[in-house]
Amino acid sequence: VAEICDKGNMTANTTSHVQPGMNITLSCQLKQPKQNEQCKIAIFFNSSELSSNYGSSVSTKFLVRTYGKLMFTCKVVCEYKKKLICGIDIESGNPPDQPKNVSCIQYGTDSNPTCTWNKGRFTYINTTYVIQLSNGTDMLCFLEENVNNKFGSLVLSTKLNFDSTYTAVVAASNELGNAFSQPLMFMLIDIVKPHPPKFLVKFENSSATNCTVFWHDEAQAQHFRLRYRSLNSYTWNMVESLNSEKCSLYDLEPYTEYEFQVSCKIHPERGLWSNWRTFQTQTPEAVPAQLLDVWYKKQDMDSQMQNISLFWKALSKSEARGKILQYTVTFQALNHRSPKAIETNVTVQTSYTRVTPRMDYNITVTADNSKGSSPPAAIMTELGIQDLPPPRNVSAIAMGNNSILVIWKPPIKSTAFINGYIVEWIDIHRNKSLEPHLNWIKLLASNLSTVISEHIKDHVCYHIAVSALYQDRAGQVASVRGYSREKAPSVGPQMYPTPQTNGILVSWEEIPANQQMGCITEYNIYLQKKDSKVAPEVYGSLTTSQMNYFLWMTASTAAGESPQGNSELVCLESNESVVGVRGQEKLHSLLSVIVPQWYSKAIPNPANATWARNYTAMKVSCTVFLLIPPSSVKIYI
């Protein structure tokens, strides 16, 4: 390579294209002697000086290590000034690899074929790819230039016919070498990929489970295949070797989203399958086929009337086989003379309550959709069953991960036959407008435990009830409070002390539900003398003369005690030992007070206390009056 310039010449002992690892010799010669002997002639690679000389020529060797264009320049350098004399460019790259994995495909019968191949390693220099296509007599060449892509692709601008056999060769060429692919031989029938057929799905009027798939292909394909599945399944049902334009399918699931796909190819034994064409549709509804699982509770209102409550779970989608529009509940009173007429009621809820005269009833419940009703689930109530004891030793164990283990023992012996258990649970602080109904599960009589996880959250207290089923009737309830995971309450109660003639009335508000962090088990009331550094006593009695005290409260769960609530300064007279406590909590279970075992004195009737008489007109959830000895007392719920 040589470059002839006005002020000098520059040469390299190689061609304009080289491979990495090659040593080249670069030379530069001035045409006229330098005017200043202090100046030198130098060869630069990019902005880096490679070699210099104070004569009129310079040469150097350079090892090529990188790919791409290499730019060399020759300059005269005089102190801080540089004057360009000449320059030369050399490109570094690779000869082409042999093209591999050559394939050709034609989409549809009326388009042009597209051939692709793997180019191998990058060449980094301009490389030409030519597809040489021959039918035995004529040769056609199609050019593609692209140095960056790893894969080549070229649409052949010619129409092929079905009768000829073609040979395709990919030829690659650049300044460093040439390469040729192995020849690919094919006929048009082998490379045509037809367009997917258009099709429709038609269901029979009398059946939601049978349908016929019709399709049409513009290329007059001779071979088809069909596959289908419900959208909640990952497994396809395949139907192959179809040579007609329709196919009938049976035993589909009613009211279910299905995906159907059809593809084709021109020849049964040769050629390519088309892509799948997809169609999604929902099968029609069908009559519900599953019985509802129904149970009931019965409570006598008085000697003449009774309350009957029915409960059932909604059918699953596969059982409902359509959109359930309503539930139909029928009551037929039974007596010794003749049965009365059947009374029909409808509801959209999964429970139904009715007050009826005290007698036996034959009750049925069905689920109804647009196609009909499920088989009736029948229950016959019995007045004679009275002794329906609850399960024993019900306990709730925190399992974490939004689940609670509930354990119980069978009821004491009963004359009625037990055919199962019902476990019910509900957030004791629920929003009744959002969660109006209990959560429940029905279990076999052999089950004496279950893990509940539906609608269970951590740091929430739940009321859990277990009852035995006696011929589908729920007996008496045994209940317990439980939680999945809990913490100590995050805040203490907001309390309000009110001085009385013979003590102090303490009332407090319920801790907000989201700050209780579990099931509140006790409340603690603390008294501490003002300016005292002694630890406060929990609700101690006072024997001194008039004193000022700080009063505050805490609440506890099984996980620990809350921070103290608000603190109030109170004044107590001497010898006061009667203190009133009023809890203004919105409790979901009965509040009980447990007095320590060491205290054996009788507790006075709270109604006789002065503070109690003063506040009888106020509505509160509980009133507790305690005579406090000089020791600590805790209030438990």
Side-chain angles (χ1 to χ4, degrees):
V1 181
E3 287 291 338
I4 308 298
C5 303
D6 293 341
K7 299 178 181 180
N9 303 327
M10 192 170 184
T11 61
N13 67 335
T14 182
T15 61
S16 60
H17 293 79
V18 298
Q19 290 183 253
M22 184 175 180
N23 263 311
I24 60 176
T25 300
L26 299 165
S27 300
C28 182
Q29 177 72 44
L30 295 177
K31 288 185 177 181
Q32 297 178 357
K34 295 180 297 180
Q35 297 179 356
N36 187 343
E37 293 297 329
Q38 300 300 318
C39 296
K40 63 180 180 180
I41 182 173
I43 296 177
F44 291 83
F45 171 59
N46 294 334
S47 59
S48 300
E49 181 180 307
L50 298 179
S51 180
S52 62
N53 186 22
Y54 283 95
S56 59
S57 65
V58 65
S59 66
T60 186
K61 289 187 177 182
F62 181 82
L63 176 63
V64 178
R65 293 186 174 91
T66 60
Y67 289 103
K69 182 177 288 188
L70 309 175
M71 301 178 63
F72 301 97
T73 56
C74 178
K75 299 179 182 180
V76 172
V77 181
C78 300
E79 295 184 353
Y80 301 106
K81 296 181 180 180
K82 297 177 183 178
K83 182 182 294 185
L84 179 64
I85 303 300
C86 199
I88 193 168
D89 293 340
I90 296 176
E91 291 189 62
S92 171
N94 295 319
D97 285 343
Q98 181 187 34
K100 294 182 178 180
N101 300 328
V102 180
S103 65
C104 297
I105 188 171
Q106 179 172 305
Y107 297 96
T109 56
D110 296 329
S111 63
N112 295 331
T114 299
C115 295
T116 59
W117 62 94
N118 188 335
K119 295 181 178 180
R121 62 179 175 171
F122 289 149
T123 61
Y124 298 95
I125 59 177
N126 185 49
T127 302
T128 299
Y129 292 88
V130 175
I131 295 182
Q132 302 170 349
L133 183 66
S134 171
N135 61 2
T137 57
D138 299 322
M139 171 76 75
L140 299 174
C141 293
F142 306 92
L143 176 65
E144 188 243 29
E145 286 191 25
N146 197 324
V147 299
N148 296 321
N149 292 343
K150 183 176 178 60
F151 298 94
S153 179
L154 182 60
V155 178
L156 308 186
S157 57
T158 185
K159 294 287 185 181
L160 305 185
N161 61 68
F162 281 92
D163 298 326
S164 298
T165 298
Y166 295 91
T167 301
V169 175
V170 179
S173 176
N174 64 22
E175 293 291 339
L176 296 176
N178 304 294
F180 299 89
S181 71
Q182 293 293 326
L184 172 68
M185 298 184 64
F186 62 88
M187 295 185 68
L188 184 58
I189 189 67
D190 298 318
I191 68 168
V192 170
K193 185 174 185 177
H195 298 298
K198 299 177 181 179
F199 70 99
L200 61 88
V201 180
K202 185 176 181 180
F203 289 90
E204 299 178 9
N205 293 331
S206 59
S207 174
T209 61
N210 303 335
C211 72
T212 302
V213 183
F214 301 89
W215 56 79
H216 172 69
D217 180 71
E218 298 175 356
Q220 300 299 316
Q222 301 180 31
H223 201 54
F224 300 87
R225 59 183 179 179
L226 163 69
R227 65 182 186 180
Y228 62 97
R229 64 181 177 114
S230 63
L231 291 187
N232 57 6
S233 171
Y234 295 99
T235 303
W236 290 96
N237 300 289
M238 184 72 73
V239 183
E240 295 193 59
S241 302
L242 302 172
N243 54 14
S244 64
E245 293 187 343
K246 68 177 182 178
C247 178
S248 296
L249 304 176
Y250 304 94
D251 299 325
L252 302 180
E253 293 292 332
Y255 198 59
T256 302
E257 290 283 345
Y258 271 88
E259 181 178 9
F260 301 85
Q261 293 187 344
V262 177
S263 71
C264 66
K265 66 177 183 175
I266 296 177
H267 193 277
E269 298 177 357
R270 300 176 63 179
L272 304 174
W273 284 102
S274 72
N275 292 333
W276 294 100
R277 189 181 295 276
T278 299
F279 177 75
Q280 292 183 1
T281 188
Q282 180 175 273
T283 55
E285 294 188 3
V287 176
Q290 185 68 34
L291 282 169
L292 290 167
D293 192 2
V294 183
W295 58 282
Y296 73 102
K297 294 179 179 180
K298 188 169 70 169
Q299 181 181 9
D300 293 335
M301 308 295 291
D302 52 39
S303 60
Q304 299 296 323
M305 304 299 289
Q306 64 182 354
N307 185 306
I308 297 178
S309 297
L310 302 163
F311 304 89
W312 59 89
K313 290 282 190 183
L315 297 175
S316 67
K317 186 175 181 179
S318 61
E319 295 170 339
R321 309 213 298 178
K323 182 180 180 180
I324 298 301
L325 304 175
Q326 64 182 28
Y327 299 95
T328 300
V329 183
T330 68
F331 281 76
Q332 184 181 30
L334 305 177
N335 56 38
H336 297 293
R337 298 177 183 177
S338 61
K340 292 187 177 182
I342 297 177
E343 299 181 17
T344 301
N345 309 272
V346 296
T347 179
V348 295
Q349 306 297 330
T350 54
S351 62
Y352 182 79
T353 298
R354 181 177 175 183
V355 177
T356 66
R358 289 191 61 188
M359 62 179 67
D360 292 336
Y361 288 88
N362 182 19
I363 303 173
T364 65
V365 185
T366 61
D368 311 324
N369 65 18
S370 64
K371 295 296 184 179
S373 301
S374 66
I379 285 178
M380 186 174 294
T381 66
E382 295 186 48
L383 289 176
I385 300 179
Q386 300 295 334
D387 182 21
L388 301 177
R392 297 174 295 125
N393 300 344
V394 177
S395 62
I397 301 174
M399 299 293 290
N401 296 322
N402 308 111
S403 59
I404 304 172
L405 172 63
V406 185
I407 303 174
W408 63 90
K409 290 185 178 180
I412 59 176
K413 292 183 179 180
S414 173
T415 56
F417 173 72
I418 296 177
N419 65 334
Y421 291 97
I422 293 291
V423 178
E424 306 166 271
W425 64 96
I426 196 165
D427 179 355
I428 64 174
H429 298 292
R430 74 190 188 282
N431 185 329
K432 294 183 179 180
S433 63
L434 299 179
E435 297 182 76
H437 301 297
L438 291 167
N439 303 292
W440 59 270
I441 185 172
K442 187 176 181 181
L443 304 167
L444 298 176
S446 58
N447 290 356
L448 296 177
S449 66
T450 187
V451 175
I452 57 176
S453 57
E454 183 181 1
H455 300 147
I456 295 293
K457 300 178 181 178
D458 289 342
H459 311 131
V460 174
C461 187
Y462 293 89
H463 179 83
I464 303 169
V466 184
S467 57
L469 285 180
Y470 299 86
Q471 299 176 5
D472 293 321
R473 174 181 172 185
Q476 299 177 44
V477 168
S479 62
V480 69
R481 294 191 305 165
Y483 52 87
S484 169
R485 183 182 282 118
E486 71 172 359
K487 299 178 182 178
S490 58
V491 297
Q494 182 75 21
M495 62 92 186
Y496 309 96
T498 304
Q500 303 292 307
T501 57
N502 58 347
I504 294 178
L505 172 68
V506 179
S507 60
W508 63 92
E509 294 180 357
E510 181 182 33
I511 296 174
N514 63 338
Q515 295 177 306
Q516 292 189 18
M517 309 308 291
C519 297
I520 300 295
T521 57
E522 65 184 26
Y523 289 96
N524 306 311
I525 300 178
Y526 289 86
L527 278 174
Q528 185 179 38
K529 291 180 181 179
K530 183 181 178 182
D531 301 326
S532 173
K533 297 183 179 180
V534 180
E537 292 188 358
V538 180
Y539 214 89
S541 65
L542 308 173
T543 58
T544 62
S545 59
Q546 183 176 7
M547 293 290 293
N548 290 327
Y549 282 80
F550 282 111
L551 176 69
W552 69 87
M553 289 185 64
T554 64
S556 298
T557 66
E561 187 176 11
S562 73
Q564 72 178 55
N566 63 307
S567 177
E568 297 288 342
L569 184 64
V570 297
C571 180
L572 298 179
E573 300 292 341
S574 63
N575 298 324
E576 289 180 347
S577 60
V578 178
V579 179
V581 179
R582 179 180 297 257
Q584 294 179 327
E585 290 214 281
K586 301 176 182 178
L587 300 178
H588 297 276
S589 60
L590 193 61
L591 181 66
S592 62
V593 177
I594 301 177
V595 179
Q597 296 179 357
W598 46 257
Y599 185 58
S600 59
K601 295 182 180 180
I603 299 177
N605 185 346
N608 297 328
T610 303
W611 65 266
R613 289 195 299 270
N614 294 338
Y615 285 85
T616 53
M618 297 179 63
K619 292 183 179 180
V620 294
S621 59
C622 65
T623 300
V624 182
F625 186 79
L626 299 177
L627 180 63
I628 305 300
S631 186
S632 60
V633 167
K634 293 183 179 181
I635 302 174
Y636 295 85
I637 59 171

